[in-house]
Amino acid sequence: MYRLQPSRQLFFLLLCWMMFTTLPGKAQSTEPAASGVIQAILDSVDINQIYYTLRHLSGEEPYWINGNLDSIMTRYSYSSDIYKAQDYLQMRLQEMGYSVELQPFTMSVFYDVKFAPDNSDFGWISSEGKIYGTGDGGASWTTQYNSGSTTLWSLFALNSQTAFAVGESGRILKMSGGAWQTMSSPSGSFLFGIFFNDTNLGWICGDGGLIMKTVNGGSTWSIKSTPTTSRLYDIFFVDNTHGWAVGRNGKILSSSDGGESWSSQSSGTTTRLYGVHFLDSQTGWAVGWNGVVRKTVNGGQSWSVVNIGATQDLYDIDFADAQTGLIVGTDGACWRTTDGGQTWSAGANIQYQHVYGCDLLSAANAWASGSGVVVQSFDSGITWQSELANLPQTSLNNIIATKTGAAYPDQQYIICAHYDDTSQSPSVRAPGADDNGSGSAAVLEAARVLSQYDFEYTVKFVWFAGEEQGLHGSAAYAADAAANGDQILGVLNLDMIGYDGNLDGVMEIHAGNLSA
């Protein structure tokens, strides 16, 4: 244990480590040179700068920004003040000469995405109590429905003017003329799958083997008898007569009378099946957990095993036409076919996130959604681009300042902290001086001090948001880094590094290898 002055204790480990990336100490490695640079960096650390930042981040002191005096009363990720903290850190970094990148991410889960088959300008995304809609092909989105709590698991778009959504507690919604309305439901169960053949005829599946049918556009629904109590996740009809539903325990049900009666088919698996899609009354697919894929060419009288090479849980399958298909699942799984399912190849990983829904608008244009992800592809899944920035009130931002390395710019070290906070009343007051104003202020001081030095390797200074809700910001950063193939040589994470409980101005460093 070492007792150090505050100005040195915050940076002793940091700067000794960083020294080995400086040009003088790396290119011409001599102990005196290294020692000199370390000492020069240490001497440049200003504890008053750290306190100055901390007073602003904790709301103790107002600050000037864009010609106005402002203050940060909370850094809770669900409050609007989190954007004040973002703007403050961005301002300070720009004053130091850094170009600042804002990396958007979301803490929301987007369960399904569907576009109108008659006009691909119109589409919808369902989330935790919300439905977002677009009328310009996804260039912009608006919040069309907000229940505040009820999760909506599935969407079905009949045309550009009519769409449906289902979710927990028996919730059924219908969009007509741009407005979403709650429809009467005969069940309070979880509803997972929905399918319509025309403006009148539709079906819903859900908990306990539930299947419901409407013949009047959803005004009323009747519950049908099924031979299972297993949860059913997806339902699909190829015409007004032939339909299938899939669910837990490898259940596949079929109907040949428009959903009035249902019988079981043998899938050959007990794995959960989440998605079903038929090309015609004979040829269909079912996908589920553990990379399970099943195919039938005789209307489900028999289902054969298809090994596409996936090990992830698979959640949805869609075809744009008889040749082009897409399967998505956990950990960014994406599998595509261009020969009607004869062969499947892995597409680009979708940000290493759990993907629950996909929609192929054409042989090229595809959308997918999931846990913290909404993406679009213009090459049927070969590559994907994030569309989160276009969704209102869904994104937070990681803050990134980069000092590019002179010798090895593609190899990087990261100095990071999280700039969000929580408390007993986080929406009103969450000062977070220790957690994590201390880390955020230290990273900013490191950025200031190290801006005067050249490095062989790239150094990134990163502040994450959404950490108190489950490490959302850092997970998004790590997923993006993995997708981009970033060469990260080391990370120094400064999380709650300062806590002066007795206000004596003295702090301690404890070093060791205890398992805790």
Side-chain angles (χ1 to χ4, degrees):
M1 181 176 71
Y2 303 91
R3 188 177 297 274
L4 303 174
Q5 292 299 316
S7 61
R8 301 202 178 194
Q9 82 85 23
L10 288 173
F11 287 94
F12 182 75
L13 296 177
L14 161 66
L15 299 176
C16 286
W17 169 73
M18 282 300 303
M19 174 53 223
F20 292 102
T21 66
T22 58
L23 283 173
K26 186 70 175 179
Q28 303 292 331
S29 181
T30 62
E31 189 170 334
S35 176
V37 174
I38 290 176
Q39 190 60 51
I41 293 176
L42 283 169
D43 291 341
S44 299
V45 175
D46 186 350
I47 192 65
N48 292 318
Q49 285 287 329
I50 297 173
Y51 290 155
Y52 173 79
T53 301
L54 198 52
R55 289 196 298 271
H56 291 163
L57 289 177
S58 63
E60 182 180 345
E61 183 178 298
Y63 57 90
W64 288 94
I65 185 168
N66 298 325
N68 297 306
L69 195 63
D70 207 342
S71 59
I72 302 168
M73 300 309 294
T74 178
R75 283 179 283 113
Y76 185 51
S77 288
Y78 288 114
S79 73
S80 59
D81 269 22
I82 190 67
Y83 298 104
K84 289 185 180 181
Q86 168 194 298
D87 292 343
Y88 172 79
L89 290 169
Q90 184 175 8
M91 174 188 71
R92 293 288 304 279
L93 288 165
Q94 289 172 339
E95 290 173 350
M96 298 173 190
Y98 288 99
S99 295
V100 179
E101 174 190 354
L102 298 180
Q103 180 192 48
F105 69 93
T106 182
M107 295 186 290
S108 298
V109 179
F110 304 98
Y111 290 98
D112 202 7
V113 56
K114 287 291 184 292
F115 279 75
D118 66 330
N119 188 336
S120 59
D121 283 341
F122 291 86
W124 298 269
I125 298 171
S126 66
S127 184
E128 297 157 311
K130 293 182 179 180
I131 296 178
Y132 304 93
T134 181
D136 55 16
S140 62
W141 297 81
T142 60
T143 305
Q144 293 186 348
Y145 175 82
N146 188 354
S147 71
S149 59
T150 304
T151 297
L152 300 168
W153 281 300
S154 290
L155 292 162
F156 188 89
L158 195 58
N159 52 54
S160 61
Q161 298 300 310
T162 308
F164 296 86
V166 294
E168 62 183 356
S169 303
R171 183 65 56 91
I172 305 173
L173 300 174
K174 181 179 182 179
M175 194 280 293
S176 181
W180 288 90
Q181 296 180 338
T182 302
M183 309 297 288
S184 176
S185 175
S187 173
S189 298
F190 288 179
L191 306 179
F192 291 102
I194 182 169
F195 196 95
F196 270 78
N197 259 4
D198 54 46
T199 55
N200 292 315
L201 187 59
W203 303 266
I204 291 172
C205 66
D207 250 354
L210 176 68
I211 291 182
M212 304 191 300
K213 178 180 179 180
T214 182
V215 293
N216 54 20
S219 295
T220 60
W221 296 84
S222 58
I223 297 177
K224 303 303 177 180
S225 176
T226 68
T228 185
T229 58
S230 293
R231 176 177 285 181
L232 299 174
Y233 291 108
D234 198 13
I235 191 165
F236 193 97
F237 273 76
V238 294
D239 51 39
N240 291 350
T241 303
H242 299 93
W244 293 262
V246 298
R248 280 184 175 174
N249 307 310
K251 290 296 181 182
I252 300 180
L253 305 184
S254 68
S255 175
S256 58
D257 58 7
E260 292 296 322
S261 63
W262 294 83
S263 59
S264 295
Q265 295 184 338
S266 177
S267 66
T269 182
T270 57
T271 298
R272 295 186 185 189
L273 300 175
Y274 274 95
V276 59
H277 190 99
F278 271 72
L279 298 177
D280 52 50
S281 62
Q282 299 300 306
T283 307
W285 302 81
V287 299
W289 277 8
N290 302 319
V292 167
V293 179
R294 294 292 186 266
K295 180 183 180 181
T296 181
V297 293
N298 54 18
Q301 294 181 44
S302 62
W303 291 83
S304 59
V305 175
V306 180
N307 184 4
I308 67 172
T311 58
Q312 304 95 329
D313 297 340
L314 305 177
Y315 281 101
D316 200 12
I317 179 171
D318 192 32
F319 278 79
D321 50 47
Q323 299 301 313
T324 309
L326 188 68
I327 298 173
V328 296
T330 58
D331 299 324
C334 171
W335 295 85
R336 51 192 299 275
T337 181
T338 57
D339 57 11
Q342 297 294 322
T343 59
W344 293 84
S345 60
N349 185 284
I350 304 176
Q351 300 181 0
Y352 292 87
Q353 300 297 318
H354 296 339
V355 183
Y356 301 124
C358 66
D359 192 18
L360 267 173
L361 283 62
S362 67
N365 191 5
W367 286 76
S369 63
S371 181
V373 60
V374 174
V375 291
Q376 184 179 15
S377 174
F378 293 101
D379 49 24
S380 66
I382 297 176
T383 59
W384 296 91
Q385 65 183 37
S386 175
E387 300 293 340
L388 280 179
N390 296 325
L391 269 69
Q393 300 176 337
T394 61
S395 295
L396 293 171
N397 292 299
N398 294 325
I399 306 166
I400 306 168
T402 301
K403 187 171 181 63
T404 303
Y408 310 105
D410 293 334
Q411 301 180 48
Q412 58 187 262
Y413 289 91
I414 296 173
I415 307 174
C416 59
H418 71 91
Y419 69 98
D420 66 309
D421 180 43
T422 190
S423 70
Q424 297 301 315
S425 53
S427 297
V428 179
R429 189 78 175 101
D434 54 347
D435 187 10
N436 193 22
S438 62
S440 294
V443 175
L444 191 65
E445 177 65 355
R448 185 190 70 82
V449 171
L450 300 179
S451 67
Q452 304 304 308
Y453 294 83
D454 294 321
F455 301 93
E456 289 190 340
Y457 300 95
T458 291
V459 181
K460 287 182 177 284
F461 306 93
V462 185
W463 293 259
F464 305 115
E467 294 299 277
E468 298 289 1
Q469 288 70 40
L471 310 181
H472 291 278
S474 57
Y477 186 94
D480 188 67
N484 293 333
D486 289 357
Q487 301 179 60
I488 300 174
L489 304 182
V491 178
L492 190 64
N493 178 30
L494 305 181
D495 193 341
M496 196 174 173
I497 64 169
Y499 180 66
D500 192 7
N502 60 4
L503 301 178
D504 66 352
V506 177
M507 304 180 192
E508 297 176 347
I509 291 178
H510 295 260
N513 58 0
L514 296 177
S515 60

